[in-house]
Amino acid sequence: RSCLRPRVPAEQLTVLQNCVVWTGEADPAGRAAARPPFRGSVRLRGNRIERVSQDRQSPPPGAVVLDCAGRSVIPGLVEGHAHPSFEDIV
């Protein structure tokens, strides 16, 4: 089984609420290299990000709602750290 297959049905809606969102986008005001993190919500359809918003919205009927309790959401972050010179590493 591939780890790249979606783990939720493509039509399932999931809403992450009460999270700190870091998008990695450029700061629209030009004051910083990146847009500062903000408190908001993220709506997913299947395993795709459908919407990111700063305002608290009522989740659509039937959506799975997860309260992130202020935890950070960072889409697309990949750990690319490796030590290829080390021996016997699995």
Side-chain angles (χ1 to χ4, degrees):
R1 177 177 148 156
S2 170
C3 65
L4 300 177
R5 289 186 186 152
R7 296 176 188 238
V8 295
E11 67 281 352
Q12 179 177 320
L13 283 174
T14 304
V15 178
L16 308 176
Q17 289 186 335
N18 190 24
C19 52
V20 176
V21 179
W22 183 80
T23 64
E25 296 174 312
D27 180 8
R31 292 185 301 257
R35 180 179 179 179
F38 59 89
R39 203 169 272 268
S41 62
V42 178
R43 185 166 71 192
L44 309 165
R45 184 174 300 274
N47 66 344
R48 302 282 180 154
I49 298 170
E50 187 174 86
R51 182 173 188 191
V52 177
S53 62
Q54 285 186 265
D55 53 332
R56 185 178 175 100
Q57 299 180 357
S58 298
V64 174
V65 179
L66 301 173
D67 181 3
C68 293
R71 292 182 181 91
S72 295
V73 175
I74 306 173
L77 183 66
V78 175
E79 168 60 84
H81 182 117
H83 292 275
S85 62
F86 288 4
E87 293 182 25
D88 300 326
I89 293 182
V90 176

